[in-house]
Amino acid sequence: MGNICKNLKKYIFANWQFLSIMAIGIIALSIQMSQVVLYADDYSLGIYSSRPLSEIIQYEINHYLSWGGGYTALLVILLIAAGSFVWKTALVALLAAFVVLSTKIICRNTTKNKWIVASILWLFIFSLSIWVSREVFYWLDGSMAYLFSMFQAFLLFYLLFTRMVCGKNKKYDTVILPLAAFFAGWSSAQSGCISVLIAIGFIIWKRFIAKKQVKIKKIEWATLALCVAGFLIFYFAPGNSGRMATFAEYSNLNLIEKILYRSSDVIDLIIYNYGTDFNAAPIFLYIAAGLLAIVSLKRSSKHRKANLNKMRVASALYSLAIILLCLISRIDLGIPTELATRVFAYTNLFDKYQAGTLSLLHFLPYVAIIIFFFSMAFNAFCISKEDDDPLVFFVILFGLLFQAVMIMAPYNPLRTSFYTTAFMWVVSAKLIVISKHESIDTSPIFIILFMIWNFYFGIIALAIYGVLALISRKEYLNLKDVNMLFVILIFGIFAISNYAKTLYAYHCNKRVNTENISRILEYNNQSSEETVLYLLKPCNEVYGFTGLSGISWVEDAVITYYHLPENLDLKYEGE
């Protein structure tokens, strides 16, 4: 017991900065989560939370046979049955675990930069656009379908990384690795597919690319096999066919037509989604690409292989040019509409195909962006090969593939971009640590991005950098400290602002929801014969997924969940 206390004190002393950041992040997220209520599908699934376990299992079987191959709906039912404290705690734990695991694989065996990485990741989390976070963090059903499934893929990534790259073979690998692989493969279409590719990627790296190439062990082959098995269980679920039947137009297309049909939406979501705040998926992609370019340009000056050096410089400059053009193209220059179109106008190829006007010119924007993605992957591979560490390359590669696989889906809502966004967080944090270690000034890429994306925020970023640079000239700070403080300060300002606004709006909406639930319970207690129950409208419907009224299937679920009369009509006051 004495040794345990001694080791615990030693760990706390060595990691007090990291632990402090984690405590702050967990407390802040818990406060925000306390303002979250049930939305939409939560009520549909919550109906089963008070029923016997046999009925819950039967529901999951029916769901698998008629709607989808995943099992997250079962988790939602069980969490609702366990109570709001349990499921809110579970969501906080998922995000905290993501930060901890990310920090461990970025910092490896050192404690030197752990608090910096944790700070950056928490600030990224709290900076996420409300249009994504409301459906991935602050909605129980959405969080299970997206946050939990992403975490499963990332957990598999972490376990394979620590074993096959760091060489840490643990006794429990024979149990936890196959289990993690199976459930990651079965989690969702996006995570399942990418989990299989993650397992394949680590096998290829360990056997053919790493400096110390070794044979693949049986447990690692078993991990891949079980991951594939889990994905096949999801993929061949009868419910997938039933669900696809609701997208009749898409279902009747052949493979080529499906690609033409979806390509513009997939690219647009990750490159051009400007209607969803400053910090939608593209900004994190651009940050990662910009950091990759700057690190590659710096390293290329020391590279001995001339041809490879030229390719790295060309790829880095191309990436920076694409980022700049994509950002500039969104500025309203006040010129005629036909000239003010985007630099890359992603025409829907299927529409042109149907109209018989499809030409090679329509493919040029797609080719340009595909080259951009390959440029990112190439520079990331060079960095990983030099460091004998596949983290940068794999996170970039799988982050992009998370969105690429959606080209075979009938639709992809904005929340599907979270997978890519989360992986861009990890690689950005890793590249910032590399920049710190190698004294690379990455501040210009952030200033340029913010200046074009949001002029006023760009001015604030420039002012912060100017002050830090001035202080560093007085020898109070060095370049490494300037870069770290700059990133933490600019994202700190935005994260705090975004967090405060989100917390206040959710608090207001929760008060309205509490009043509405009180009216529902009062209606039940009084056994009223009124056929209309008037509710208060949410203060701001952006901060939440849905209200209790306004959508027929949500109203039906709410009525059933609270045991209201079937003929009761839920309406907002004033309607």
Side-chain angles (χ1 to χ4, degrees):
M1 186 67 180
N3 288 334
I4 294 175
C5 293
K6 186 177 180 180
N7 291 335
L8 181 61
K9 289 180 180 178
K10 185 178 179 181
Y11 176 81
I12 293 174
F13 180 78
N15 295 274
W16 71 269
Q17 293 171 311
F18 168 72
L19 294 174
S20 299
I21 295 299
M22 288 302 302
I24 293 171
I26 290 171
I27 292 171
L29 185 60
S30 298
I31 293 172
Q32 169 60 53
M33 203 64 69
S34 69
Q35 306 304 309
V36 177
V37 297
L38 298 179
Y39 297 103
D41 299 70
D42 296 342
Y43 284 106
S44 301
L45 298 171
I47 293 170
Y48 296 89
S49 62
S50 59
R51 296 182 180 179
L53 182 61
S54 58
E55 289 191 31
I56 297 175
I57 294 174
Q58 185 60 50
Y59 168 82
E60 177 60 28
I61 294 173
N62 293 338
H63 182 272
Y64 184 82
L65 295 175
S66 62
W67 188 249
Y71 57 86
T72 56
L74 176 62
L75 296 178
V76 175
I77 295 171
L78 296 176
L79 285 170
I80 292 176
S84 62
F85 176 79
V86 174
W87 63 260
K88 290 178 182 180
T89 301
L91 298 187
V92 173
L94 274 178
L95 279 170
F98 169 74
V99 174
V100 170
L101 297 183
S102 300
T103 302
K104 290 188 71 173
I105 61 176
I106 290 171
C107 297
R108 301 287 284 269
N109 298 322
T110 179
T111 61
K112 190 174 182 181
N113 297 311
K114 287 177 70 175
W115 75 271
I116 294 174
V117 173
S119 298
I120 291 170
L121 290 172
W122 277 117
L123 292 176
F124 283 167
I125 287 171
F126 288 124
S127 294
L128 187 63
S129 168
I130 185 60
W131 296 97
V132 179
S133 62
R134 70 174 185 166
E135 298 181 24
V136 175
F137 298 162
Y138 311 134
W139 176 34
L140 176 55
D141 184 53
S143 64
M144 288 295 101
Y146 294 93
L147 174 59
F148 182 62
S149 62
M150 184 283 296
F151 179 77
Q152 289 181 94
F154 188 76
L155 176 62
L156 178 64
F157 183 97
Y158 169 80
L159 293 172
L160 290 174
F161 184 88
T162 53
R163 178 183 176 87
M164 301 178 75
V165 178
C166 302
K168 296 180 179 179
N169 299 334
K170 299 179 180 179
K171 294 180 180 179
Y172 57 73
D173 279 354
T174 54
V175 176
I176 194 170
L177 254 179
L179 282 176
F182 178 74
F183 284 104
W186 189 16
S187 57
S188 71
Q190 273 182 285
S191 285
C193 180
I194 300 305
S195 294
V196 172
L197 296 179
I198 286 172
I200 293 173
F202 275 105
I203 288 174
I204 293 174
W205 179 274
K206 182 178 178 179
R207 187 68 184 89
F208 301 106
I209 302 175
K211 291 181 181 179
K212 186 180 179 181
Q213 299 170 12
V214 295
K215 290 185 178 180
I216 307 303
K217 297 182 179 180
K218 292 181 180 179
I219 184 61
E220 293 157 358
W221 285 119
T223 298
L224 172 60
L226 284 169
C227 192
V228 172
F231 179 65
L232 292 179
I233 290 174
F234 181 97
Y235 184 79
F236 288 110
N240 290 332
S241 299
R243 189 169 188 173
M244 284 296 292
T246 61
F247 302 95
E249 179 185 2
Y250 181 82
S251 300
N252 294 327
L253 303 178
N254 60 43
L255 178 62
I256 301 300
E257 289 174 335
K258 287 179 179 178
I259 294 174
L260 295 176
Y261 183 90
R262 295 288 299 116
S263 55
S264 61
D265 292 336
V266 170
I267 293 291
D268 192 68
L269 189 64
I270 195 171
I271 296 294
Y272 273 122
N273 210 320
Y274 297 129
T276 53
D277 289 349
F278 149 84
N279 52 355
I283 190 65
F284 293 108
L285 173 69
Y286 294 155
I287 287 172
L291 291 171
L292 268 174
I294 290 177
V295 172
S296 291
L297 287 172
K298 181 70 174 181
R299 286 191 172 187
S300 65
S301 61
K302 303 176 183 178
H303 211 285
R304 295 181 180 179
K305 297 181 180 179
N307 291 334
L308 184 61
N309 184 46
K310 290 178 182 178
M311 289 177 63
R312 291 184 72 172
V313 172
S315 295
L317 293 177
Y318 181 81
S319 294
L320 292 174
I322 291 293
I323 295 169
L324 192 62
L325 289 173
C326 285
L327 290 170
I328 290 176
S329 66
R330 68 184 296 270
I331 298 176
D332 184 3
L333 300 176
I335 55 182
T337 304
E338 62 272 14
L339 298 177
T341 54
R342 301 169 183 164
V343 173
F344 299 107
Y346 293 95
T347 305
N348 187 286
L349 301 178
F350 183 72
D351 291 342
K352 298 295 181 182
Y353 168 76
Q354 278 192 315
T357 58
L358 184 63
S359 69
L360 290 177
L361 290 176
H362 294 122
F363 287 93
L364 289 180
Y366 295 94
V367 172
I369 289 300
I370 289 172
I371 294 175
F372 168 57
F373 292 152
F374 272 104
S375 296
M376 289 180 63
F378 172 72
N379 278 322
F381 180 80
C382 290
I383 291 171
S384 290
K385 185 69 172 155
E386 289 165 358
D387 298 342
D388 195 28
D389 181 349
L391 181 62
V392 172
F393 174 60
F394 277 178
V395 175
I396 283 287
L397 177 65
F398 298 131
L400 294 175
L401 289 176
F402 260 121
Q403 201 59 43
V405 298
M406 292 304 293
I407 203 166
M408 297 309 298
Y411 78 113
N412 61 326
L414 181 58
R415 55 182 177 264
T416 62
S417 67
F418 172 70
Y419 298 92
T420 300
T421 302
F423 271 53
M424 291 306 113
W425 290 344
V426 177
V427 77
S428 296
K430 174 64 175 179
L431 290 168
I432 289 170
V433 170
I434 291 175
S435 301
K436 178 179 184 294
H437 178 70
E438 300 180 13
S439 298
I440 301 172
D441 188 1
T442 59
S443 303
I445 187 66
F446 288 99
I447 293 173
I448 293 171
L449 282 173
F450 295 142
M451 187 70 72
I452 298 177
W453 196 284
N454 184 304
F455 179 77
Y456 298 106
F457 194 68
I459 291 295
I460 294 173
L462 182 61
I464 291 173
Y465 180 72
V467 171
L468 292 175
L470 183 62
I471 295 174
S472 68
R473 294 187 65 180
K474 300 295 183 180
E475 299 183 355
Y476 296 116
L477 291 171
N478 57 37
L479 179 61
K480 296 180 181 180
D481 295 328
V482 168
N483 273 288
M484 290 301 100
L485 286 174
F486 175 73
V487 173
I488 290 173
L489 282 174
I490 59 173
F491 275 101
I493 292 171
F494 192 83
I496 291 172
S497 173
N498 191 48
Y499 176 83
K501 184 168 60 174
T502 302
L503 179 62
Y504 176 77
Y506 267 91
H507 174 69
C508 293
N509 284 341
K510 184 182 179 181
R511 290 173 58 188
V512 170
N513 182 266
T514 301
E515 170 61 25
N516 286 337
I517 301 303
S518 296
R519 294 187 182 188
I520 289 173
L521 295 178
E522 183 180 356
Y523 181 93
N524 268 342
N525 292 334
Q526 293 179 350
S527 300
S528 175
E529 296 182 359
E530 294 288 337
T531 58
V532 178
L533 176 60
Y534 288 98
L535 305 174
L536 298 178
K537 194 171 185 178
C539 300
N540 190 334
E541 291 184 317
V542 171
Y543 293 85
F545 193 51
T546 63
L548 300 178
S549 178
I551 303 175
S552 59
W553 63 269
V554 174
E555 291 181 17
D556 292 341
V558 170
I559 287 171
T560 305
Y561 182 82
Y562 287 108
H563 308 290
L564 296 167
E566 292 184 3
N567 63 339
L568 183 65
D569 190 10
L570 300 178
K571 289 186 177 181
Y572 288 130
E573 288 185 354
E575 291 185 351

